[in-house]
Amino acid sequence: IKGYEGGQMPLYQRLPKRGFNKPNRKQYAVVNLGLIEKFIEAGKLDIKAEINEDALIASGLVRRKLDGVRILAKGEISKKVNLVVTGASKSA
C-alpha cells in the first residue's frame, strides 16, 4: 500500500502524534568547560576580567545568546575563572 486511501482519512492523520512541544520553552546556547579552556589558552578570553555572556559572544565561542548561556561539564578548566552565565549543570 502506498499512501493513498481512496478518499478515506489517511492513517498518518488518524493516529495521534507522539509527544508535546512546549510553545514557551527556553532555548539555551550550550558551552562546554573544555571549549572555554581552549579559548583562554588561545588568548580569545581574558581570565582577569569577568567572563559573561557578552564576552563569550565577542570571542566567537557562542553565536547568539538565545534565552541565555548554559555551561556543561565536558572538559576541565585548570585556572580559576569568574563566569557569569544564566546556568550551569550540577557537575560543572
Side-chain angles (χ1 to χ4, degrees):
I1 300 174
K2 298 276 185 195
Y4 184 67
E5 298 189 24
Q8 180 176 326
M9 184 65 69
L11 183 67
Y12 69 87
Q13 287 183 332
R14 278 182 281 162
L15 294 175
K17 307 300 179 270
R18 181 88 172 97
F20 175 76
N21 291 326
K22 197 172 166 183
N24 59 348
R25 73 175 176 269
K26 298 211 179 288
Q27 194 172 11
Y28 296 103
V30 176
V31 179
N32 289 316
L33 287 175
L35 278 174
I36 294 175
E37 175 74 16
K38 276 185 184 177
F39 272 66
I40 288 171
E41 288 173 1
K44 294 181 181 179
L45 285 172
D46 186 23
I47 304 172
K48 296 172 186 104
E50 181 180 88
I51 297 176
N52 56 14
E53 294 169 353
D54 296 324
L56 292 173
I57 292 169
S59 69
L61 188 57
V62 178
R63 272 200 191 154
R64 50 188 84 81
K65 267 196 260 194
L66 302 173
D67 290 322
V69 176
R70 286 188 55 90
I71 305 295
L72 301 182
K74 188 174 181 185
E76 290 183 357
I77 292 186
S78 55
K79 302 163 194 81
K80 188 176 180 182
V81 178
N82 188 13
L83 287 170
V84 180
V85 291
T86 307
S89 64
K90 283 184 181 178
S91 49

XYZ file of all heavy atoms in Angstrom:
710
model
N 0.853 -1.178 0.000
C 0.000 0.000 0.000
C 0.893 1.234 0.000
O 1.773 1.359 0.832
C -0.926 0.011 1.237
C -1.819 -1.214 1.234
C -1.728 1.274 1.282
C -2.648 -1.349 2.494
N 0.661 2.152 -0.908
C 1.485 3.360 -0.976
C 1.068 4.327 0.139
O 1.508 4.191 1.254
C 1.320 4.022 -2.346
C 1.771 3.150 -3.485
C 3.246 3.269 -3.700
C 3.605 2.453 -4.929
N 4.983 2.183 -5.076
N 0.203 5.268 -0.114
C -0.220 6.204 0.900
C -1.634 6.685 0.648
O -2.289 7.223 1.522
N -2.128 6.445 -0.587
C -3.454 6.912 -0.955
C -4.497 5.922 -0.473
O -4.363 4.720 -0.656
C -3.537 7.070 -2.481
C -4.852 7.633 -2.951
C -5.201 8.931 -2.642
C -5.734 6.855 -3.686
C -6.413 9.451 -3.065
C -6.935 7.368 -4.111
C -7.275 8.662 -3.798
O -8.474 9.180 -4.211
N -5.567 6.424 0.174
C -6.570 5.533 0.753
C -7.959 5.755 0.167
O -8.959 5.482 0.821
C -6.591 5.706 2.273
C -5.264 5.335 2.911
C -5.313 5.278 4.418
O -6.408 5.084 4.978
O -4.253 5.436 5.026
N -8.036 6.296 -1.029
C -9.321 6.393 -1.723
C -10.352 7.263 -1.052
O -11.502 6.874 -0.938
N -9.999 8.445 -0.610
C -10.959 9.362 -0.005
C -11.098 9.193 1.491
O -11.653 10.057 2.167
N -10.644 8.066 2.039
C -10.671 7.857 3.489
C -9.559 8.700 4.120
O -8.542 8.968 3.479
C -10.432 6.372 3.770
C -10.427 6.006 5.230
C -10.274 4.494 5.404
O -10.771 3.723 4.602
N -9.587 4.108 6.456
N -9.765 9.148 5.367
C -8.738 9.934 6.073
C -7.464 9.090 6.184
O -7.517 7.973 6.689
C -9.259 10.310 7.464
C -8.327 11.202 8.262
S -8.074 12.832 7.575
C -9.648 13.583 7.816
N -6.329 9.584 5.706
C -5.097 8.789 5.726
C -4.663 8.388 7.134
O -4.945 9.102 8.103
C -4.065 9.721 5.100
C -4.834 10.738 4.371
C -6.147 10.868 5.063
N -3.963 7.269 7.218
C -3.549 6.711 8.506
C -2.681 7.694 9.290
O -2.862 7.849 10.494
C -2.785 5.398 8.270
C -2.344 4.665 9.527
C -3.578 4.150 10.281
C -1.439 3.514 9.188
N -1.764 8.388 8.627
C -0.861 9.301 9.348
C -1.616 10.479 9.943
O -1.127 11.134 10.856
C 0.291 9.771 8.444
C -0.108 10.693 7.320
C -0.182 12.067 7.502
C -0.415 10.188 6.057
C -0.548 12.908 6.475
C -0.774 11.027 5.025
C -0.843 12.385 5.240
O -1.198 13.225 4.221
N -2.807 10.784 9.442
C -3.605 11.863 10.036
C -4.562 11.341 11.102
O -4.981 12.092 11.968
C -4.405 12.581 8.954
C -3.538 13.453 8.073
C -4.355 14.217 7.043
O -5.424 13.780 6.619
N -3.836 15.367 6.629
N -4.895 10.032 11.046
C -5.812 9.460 12.031
C -5.120 9.184 13.362
O -5.741 9.278 14.414
C -6.402 8.145 11.508
C -7.573 8.331 10.572
C -8.132 7.015 10.144
N -7.271 6.457 9.093
C -7.275 5.184 8.734
N -8.046 4.332 9.319
N -6.486 4.771 7.772
N -3.862 8.814 13.316
C -3.151 8.445 14.537
C -2.695 9.695 15.300
O -2.309 10.686 14.679
C -1.932 7.588 14.195
C -2.239 6.220 13.596
C -0.949 5.528 13.205
C -3.035 5.364 14.540
N -2.696 9.631 16.648
C -2.232 10.790 17.421
C -0.728 10.956 17.282
O 0.007 9.986 17.112
C -2.615 10.443 18.851
C -2.702 8.966 18.870
C -3.149 8.545 17.502
N -0.288 12.186 17.323
C 1.133 12.466 17.236
C 1.762 12.248 18.612
O 1.141 12.484 19.634
C 1.380 13.907 16.768
C 0.655 14.281 15.476
C 1.073 13.384 14.325
C 0.363 13.708 13.050
N -0.867 13.002 12.843
N 3.007 11.820 18.623
C 3.688 11.479 19.868
C 4.380 12.718 20.446
O 5.056 13.445 19.732
C 4.741 10.406 19.584
C 5.517 9.924 20.772
C 4.801 8.767 21.449
N 5.650 8.190 22.473
C 5.544 8.509 23.752
N 4.630 9.361 24.154
N 6.337 7.953 24.630
N 4.214 12.931 21.735
C 4.953 13.983 22.420
C 4.221 15.312 22.451
O 3.098 15.451 21.987
N 4.910 16.283 23.017
C 4.342 17.614 23.192
C 5.469 18.626 23.093
O 6.520 18.456 23.694
C 3.667 17.709 24.567
C 3.165 19.076 24.897
C 2.003 19.553 24.325
C 3.849 19.886 25.770
C 1.542 20.819 24.617
C 3.397 21.144 26.078
C 2.228 21.605 25.498
N 5.282 19.661 22.313
C 6.264 20.725 22.205
C 5.754 21.964 22.921
O 4.748 22.545 22.516
C 6.547 21.057 20.736
C 7.279 19.944 20.040
O 8.093 19.264 20.654
N 6.985 19.746 18.774
N 6.436 22.326 23.984
C 6.039 23.459 24.796
C 6.228 24.751 23.988
O 7.322 25.014 23.491
C 6.928 23.467 26.039
C 6.439 24.280 27.172
C 7.342 24.015 28.361
C 7.108 25.040 29.423
N 8.016 24.845 30.551
N 5.188 25.566 23.840
C 5.306 26.764 22.997
C 6.207 27.849 23.589
O 6.774 28.645 22.861
C 3.872 27.258 22.871
C 3.159 26.676 24.030
C 3.841 25.386 24.367
N 6.370 27.883 24.920
C 7.165 28.950 25.543
C 8.443 28.410 26.177
O 8.950 28.976 27.135
C 6.336 29.690 26.587
C 5.846 28.777 27.683
O 5.921 27.556 27.564
N 5.353 29.335 28.762
N 8.973 27.303 25.640
C 10.177 26.707 26.237
C 11.384 27.615 26.015
O 11.432 28.396 25.074
C 10.448 25.327 25.658
C 10.963 25.343 24.248
C 11.318 23.953 23.775
N 11.722 23.977 22.399
C 10.908 23.819 21.366
N 9.628 23.616 21.575
N 11.366 23.865 20.142
N 12.345 27.478 26.899
C 13.567 28.267 26.796
C 14.616 27.468 26.030
O 14.743 26.275 26.193
C 14.090 28.616 28.177
C 13.107 29.458 28.967
C 13.822 30.386 29.902
C 12.875 31.243 30.687
N 12.245 32.259 29.920
N 15.353 28.151 25.180
C 16.400 27.510 24.400
C 17.711 28.206 24.736
O 17.842 29.416 24.559
C 16.086 27.627 22.912
C 16.915 26.722 22.061
C 16.439 26.714 20.622
O 15.615 27.538 20.235
N 16.958 25.802 19.842
N 18.664 27.429 25.260
C 19.918 27.999 25.722
C 21.053 27.700 24.751
O 21.063 26.669 24.092
C 20.293 27.421 27.089
C 19.322 27.780 28.177
C 18.386 26.870 28.633
C 19.330 29.045 28.752
C 17.484 27.200 29.631
C 18.433 29.389 29.745
C 17.518 28.459 30.179
O 16.637 28.803 31.157
N 22.012 28.601 24.688
C 23.269 28.335 23.984
C 24.128 27.528 24.949
O 24.255 27.870 26.122
C 23.954 29.650 23.635
N 24.697 26.410 24.482
C 25.424 25.488 25.348
C 26.920 25.631 25.109
O 27.385 25.675 23.974
C 24.970 24.041 25.066
C 25.778 23.065 25.877
C 23.498 23.883 25.370
N 27.685 25.705 26.223
C 29.139 25.821 26.149
C 29.753 24.786 27.086
O 29.307 24.636 28.226
C 29.602 27.235 26.588
C 31.113 27.337 26.528
C 28.976 28.289 25.720
N 30.763 24.059 26.612
C 31.466 23.089 27.449
C 32.678 23.744 28.104
O 33.286 24.661 27.547
C 31.916 21.889 26.612
C 30.740 21.027 26.202
O 29.868 20.740 27.013
N 30.705 20.629 24.949
N 33.056 23.221 29.295
C 34.203 23.772 30.011
C 35.486 23.624 29.195
O 36.343 24.500 29.215
C 34.367 23.049 31.356
C 33.349 23.395 32.437
C 33.555 22.516 33.645
C 33.425 24.845 32.817
N 35.620 22.519 28.464
C 36.814 22.285 27.655
C 36.997 23.351 26.585
O 38.125 23.770 26.303
N 35.901 23.800 25.985
C 35.985 24.855 24.967
C 36.408 26.191 25.582
O 37.184 26.935 24.982
C 34.630 25.020 24.271
C 34.336 24.036 23.149
C 32.914 24.214 22.651
C 35.308 24.224 22.013
N 35.902 26.476 26.775
C 36.291 27.715 27.456
C 37.798 27.690 27.717
O 38.501 28.670 27.498
C 35.500 27.904 28.772
C 34.022 28.114 28.450
C 36.048 29.075 29.575
C 33.130 28.180 29.654
N 38.319 26.523 28.152
C 39.753 26.366 28.410
C 40.563 26.606 27.128
O 41.577 27.307 27.142
C 40.011 24.957 28.951
C 41.468 24.615 29.158
C 42.087 25.301 30.364
O 41.336 25.815 31.218
O 43.315 25.333 30.444
N 40.104 26.054 25.998
C 40.811 26.245 24.721
C 40.852 27.718 24.324
O 41.870 28.220 23.864
C 40.117 25.455 23.609
C 40.516 24.021 23.526
C 39.855 23.385 22.315
C 40.161 21.908 22.248
N 39.478 21.252 21.131
N 39.731 28.418 24.496
C 39.660 29.831 24.123
C 40.527 30.695 25.044
O 41.058 31.709 24.624
C 38.209 30.318 24.117
C 37.515 30.097 22.803
C 37.262 28.817 22.328
C 37.113 31.163 22.022
C 36.635 28.613 21.120
C 36.481 30.976 20.810
C 36.248 29.694 20.352
N 40.656 30.288 26.319
C 41.525 31.024 27.251
C 42.983 30.834 26.830
O 43.761 31.787 26.788
C 41.299 30.538 28.702
C 39.933 31.031 29.193
C 42.404 31.039 29.625
C 39.498 30.460 30.517
N 43.365 29.582 26.493
C 44.745 29.307 26.071
C 45.080 30.012 24.750
O 46.210 30.425 24.535
C 44.969 27.798 25.929
C 45.017 27.072 27.258
C 45.064 25.570 27.111
O 45.078 25.067 25.960
O 45.075 24.891 28.155
N 44.081 30.136 23.871
C 44.297 30.810 22.590
C 44.349 32.330 22.749
O 44.703 33.037 21.805
C 43.189 30.425 21.614
N 43.972 32.839 23.925
C 44.022 34.277 24.167
C 42.769 35.010 23.734
O 42.749 36.227 23.687
N 41.704 34.272 23.409
C 40.467 34.923 22.977
C 39.604 35.360 24.159
O 38.745 36.223 24.011
C 39.673 33.986 22.065
C 40.387 33.710 20.751
C 39.592 32.806 19.866
C 40.325 32.520 18.568
N 39.584 31.617 17.700
N 39.822 34.736 25.313
C 39.107 35.128 26.535
C 40.132 35.555 27.581
O 41.195 34.943 27.715
C 38.280 33.950 27.082
C 37.002 33.601 26.343
C 36.409 32.313 26.881
C 35.989 34.718 26.448
N 39.807 36.602 28.345
C 40.705 37.127 29.371
C 40.304 36.571 30.729
O 39.150 36.717 31.154
C 40.632 38.657 29.364
C 41.642 39.273 30.310
O 42.646 38.600 30.615
O 41.419 40.426 30.724
N 41.260 35.940 31.421
C 40.959 35.335 32.725
C 40.721 36.404 33.787
O 39.878 36.250 34.655
C 42.119 34.431 33.195
C 42.426 33.377 32.150
C 41.793 33.767 34.515
C 43.658 32.584 32.464
N 41.498 37.491 33.703
C 41.433 38.522 34.753
C 40.073 39.213 34.776
O 39.565 39.566 35.823
C 42.547 39.543 34.540
C 43.922 38.925 34.683
C 45.003 39.903 34.271
C 46.342 39.210 34.277
N 46.826 38.888 32.938
N 39.473 39.382 33.601
C 38.161 40.030 33.533
C 37.056 38.995 33.764
O 37.270 37.794 33.632
C 37.983 40.690 32.167
N 35.900 39.503 34.123
C 34.730 38.640 34.319
C 34.263 38.105 32.955
O 34.066 38.877 32.028
C 33.636 39.478 34.968
C 32.363 38.754 35.262
C 31.354 39.701 35.905
O 30.610 40.351 35.152
O 31.335 39.793 37.140
N 34.120 36.783 32.852
C 33.670 36.183 31.593
C 32.147 36.051 31.654
O 31.619 35.216 32.382
C 34.333 34.809 31.361
C 35.846 34.978 31.242
C 33.774 34.166 30.102
C 36.598 33.686 31.100
N 31.453 36.912 30.903
C 29.991 36.867 30.884
C 29.510 36.470 29.491
O 30.306 36.126 28.621
C 29.408 38.210 31.335
C 29.915 39.361 30.492
O 30.497 39.157 29.430
N 29.681 40.569 30.959
N 28.214 36.503 29.285
C 27.629 36.069 28.011
C 28.111 36.934 26.845
O 28.382 36.425 25.756
C 26.105 36.092 28.114
C 25.595 35.068 29.107
C 24.125 35.223 29.452
O 23.509 36.213 29.020
O 23.609 34.352 30.152
N 28.256 38.238 27.073
C 28.715 39.132 26.004
C 30.168 38.847 25.610
O 30.526 38.923 24.437
C 28.559 40.598 26.442
C 27.096 40.950 26.666
O 26.247 40.427 25.915
O 26.804 41.738 27.583
N 31.003 38.487 26.596
C 32.406 38.159 26.305
C 32.493 36.866 25.496
O 33.337 36.743 24.607
C 33.186 38.020 27.608
N 31.617 35.907 25.793
C 31.608 34.638 25.048
C 31.195 34.871 23.594
O 31.734 34.256 22.684
C 30.663 33.639 25.717
C 31.090 33.127 27.095
C 29.984 32.279 27.706
C 32.378 32.340 27.015
N 30.250 35.786 23.377
C 29.806 36.102 22.010
C 30.911 36.845 21.261
O 31.205 36.550 20.111
C 28.503 36.934 22.042
C 27.355 36.067 22.557
C 28.165 37.470 20.669
C 26.104 36.824 22.875
N 31.557 37.801 21.932
C 32.620 38.586 21.300
C 33.807 37.712 20.900
O 34.450 37.950 19.881
C 33.076 39.692 22.239
N 34.092 36.660 21.696
C 35.223 35.782 21.388
C 34.899 34.800 20.267
O 35.790 34.198 19.695
C 35.634 35.005 22.632
O 34.633 34.061 22.976
N 33.611 34.625 19.971
C 33.208 33.696 18.919
C 32.878 32.313 19.437
O 32.608 31.402 18.662
N 32.881 32.124 20.742
C 32.561 30.822 21.335
C 31.074 30.516 21.205
O 30.682 29.374 21.010
C 32.986 30.819 22.809
C 32.919 29.510 23.563
C 33.757 28.453 22.881
C 33.399 29.685 24.982
N 30.247 31.559 21.287
C 28.792 31.408 21.165
C 28.325 32.336 20.056
O 28.792 33.472 19.963
C 28.097 31.804 22.496
C 26.597 31.710 22.376
C 28.592 30.928 23.625
N 27.421 31.865 19.202
C 26.914 32.723 18.123
C 25.927 33.748 18.633
O 26.041 34.925 18.382
C 26.223 31.874 17.059
C 27.177 31.401 16.036
C 26.448 31.014 14.773
N 27.405 30.318 13.926
C 27.080 29.439 13.028
N 25.829 29.131 12.818
N 27.992 28.852 12.306
N 24.906 33.261 19.351
C 23.913 34.187 19.906
C 23.438 33.668 21.255
O 23.491 32.490 21.523
C 22.750 34.392 18.943
C 22.120 33.165 18.386
C 21.116 33.484 17.292
N 21.709 33.655 15.985
C 22.048 32.663 15.175
N 21.881 31.423 15.547
N 22.557 32.894 13.997
N 22.955 34.588 22.073
C 22.576 34.246 23.447
C 21.344 33.353 23.537
O 21.225 32.572 24.455
C 22.291 35.522 24.232
C 23.464 36.055 24.982
C 23.017 37.056 26.013
C 23.225 38.451 25.526
N 23.122 39.456 26.561
N 20.392 33.503 22.609
C 19.082 32.842 22.695
C 18.434 33.270 24.009
O 18.266 34.463 24.233
C 19.222 31.324 22.580
C 19.890 30.806 21.300
C 20.130 29.313 21.384
C 19.054 31.101 20.077
N 18.077 32.316 24.897
C 17.488 32.691 26.188
C 18.529 32.717 27.295
O 18.200 32.836 28.466
C 16.366 31.709 26.557
C 15.160 31.874 25.655
O 14.843 33.022 25.303
O 14.536 30.865 25.300
N 19.784 32.566 26.931
C 20.864 32.564 27.917
C 21.931 31.564 27.514
O 21.807 30.865 26.516
N 22.992 31.496 28.332
C 24.102 30.573 28.075
C 24.209 29.623 29.250
O 24.199 30.049 30.402
C 25.431 31.360 27.899
C 26.597 30.414 27.719
C 25.332 32.292 26.708
N 24.296 28.328 28.944
C 24.465 27.313 29.991
C 25.821 26.642 29.836
O 26.267 26.371 28.730
C 23.364 26.265 29.931
C 22.039 26.800 30.443
C 20.985 25.737 30.578
N 21.362 24.618 31.384
C 21.166 24.532 32.702
N 20.608 25.525 33.329
N 21.524 23.469 33.362
N 26.463 26.356 30.968
C 27.770 25.709 30.980
C 27.581 24.231 31.298
O 26.901 23.884 32.265
C 28.690 26.356 32.046
C 28.796 27.855 31.846
C 30.062 25.706 32.035
C 29.459 28.277 30.573
N 28.197 23.363 30.479
C 28.170 21.926 30.722
C 29.571 21.449 31.099
O 30.564 22.089 30.773
C 27.673 21.179 29.477
C 26.273 21.563 28.997
C 25.887 20.712 27.801
C 25.245 21.391 30.094
N 29.654 20.302 31.777
C 30.905 19.867 32.395
C 31.775 18.979 31.517
O 32.515 18.168 32.028
C 30.598 19.145 33.695
N 31.714 19.116 30.206
C 32.578 18.314 29.341
C 33.927 19.015 29.243
O 34.035 20.103 28.693
C 31.951 18.159 27.955
C 32.688 17.191 27.074
C 31.940 16.960 25.778
C 32.680 15.966 24.919
N 32.034 15.823 23.611
N 34.957 18.411 29.796
C 36.279 19.016 29.843
C 36.546 19.605 31.213
O 35.743 19.467 32.135
N 37.717 20.246 31.347
C 38.106 20.834 32.629
C 38.728 22.202 32.409
O 39.268 22.490 31.346
C 39.135 19.942 33.337
C 38.572 18.633 33.843
C 39.613 17.823 34.592
O 40.776 18.269 34.660
O 39.262 16.756 35.092
N 38.686 23.025 33.470
C 39.378 24.306 33.462
C 40.453 24.226 34.541
O 40.158 23.916 35.691
C 38.419 25.478 33.741
C 37.462 25.653 32.579
C 39.189 26.757 33.988
C 36.567 26.858 32.682
N 41.708 24.490 34.159
C 42.812 24.352 35.112
C 42.989 25.613 35.964
O 43.443 25.531 37.092
C 44.105 24.037 34.352
O 44.333 25.021 33.365
N 42.610 26.770 35.432
C 42.802 28.028 36.149
C 41.491 28.495 36.783
O 40.421 28.066 36.380
C 43.315 29.092 35.181
C 44.596 28.715 34.495
C 44.816 29.595 33.265
C 45.886 29.044 32.382
N 45.431 27.968 31.514
N 41.608 29.399 37.738
C 40.411 29.962 38.364
C 39.817 31.023 37.445
O 40.514 31.932 37.001
C 40.771 30.569 39.705
C 39.567 31.008 40.492
C 39.938 31.509 41.848
C 38.692 31.927 42.597
N 38.988 32.475 43.920
N 38.505 30.887 37.139
C 37.835 31.786 36.203
C 36.538 32.270 36.829
O 35.845 31.508 37.504
C 37.523 31.031 34.881
C 36.787 31.921 33.920
C 38.800 30.521 34.247
N 36.213 33.542 36.614
C 34.961 34.106 37.111
C 33.946 34.114 35.971
O 34.009 34.954 35.077
C 35.202 35.525 37.645
C 33.980 36.064 38.334
O 33.044 35.330 38.638
N 33.989 37.350 38.577
N 32.995 33.140 35.995
C 31.984 33.020 34.947
C 30.656 33.579 35.434
O 30.207 33.252 36.531
C 31.784 31.548 34.561
C 32.876 30.880 33.747
C 32.635 29.393 33.669
C 32.913 31.464 32.354
N 30.008 34.397 34.609
C 28.674 34.908 34.922
C 27.771 34.539 33.749
O 27.803 35.167 32.696
C 28.694 36.431 35.127
C 27.301 36.932 35.438
C 29.655 36.800 36.223
N 26.980 33.467 33.925
C 26.106 32.980 32.862
C 24.730 32.669 33.441
O 24.530 32.749 34.643
C 26.685 31.714 32.175
C 27.915 32.063 31.366
C 27.002 30.644 33.184
N 23.790 32.283 32.570
C 22.425 32.000 33.008
C 22.350 30.764 33.890
O 21.623 30.740 34.864
C 21.530 31.807 31.760
O 21.701 32.934 30.918
C 20.079 31.692 32.169
N 23.101 29.711 33.524
C 23.015 28.493 34.311
C 24.182 27.563 34.032
O 24.972 27.779 33.124
N 24.266 26.505 34.858
C 25.314 25.512 34.684
C 24.777 24.164 35.166
O 23.869 24.106 36.000
C 26.550 25.899 35.477
N 25.340 23.076 34.627
C 24.934 21.761 35.084
C 25.516 21.520 36.479
O 26.438 22.214 36.903
C 25.416 20.687 34.097
O 26.826 20.660 34.073
N 24.988 20.521 37.202
C 25.453 20.267 38.567
C 26.934 19.941 38.610
O 27.662 20.416 39.469
C 24.676 19.082 39.162
C 23.283 19.428 39.607
C 22.629 18.238 40.277
C 21.216 18.582 40.695
N 20.530 17.458 41.309
N 27.395 19.121 37.662
C 28.799 18.712 37.674
C 29.736 19.829 37.219
O 30.926 19.791 37.501
C 28.992 17.469 36.812
O 28.392 17.650 35.549
N 29.209 20.818 36.509
C 30.070 21.925 36.074
C 30.300 22.861 37.249
O 31.259 23.555 37.321
C 29.425 22.675 34.920
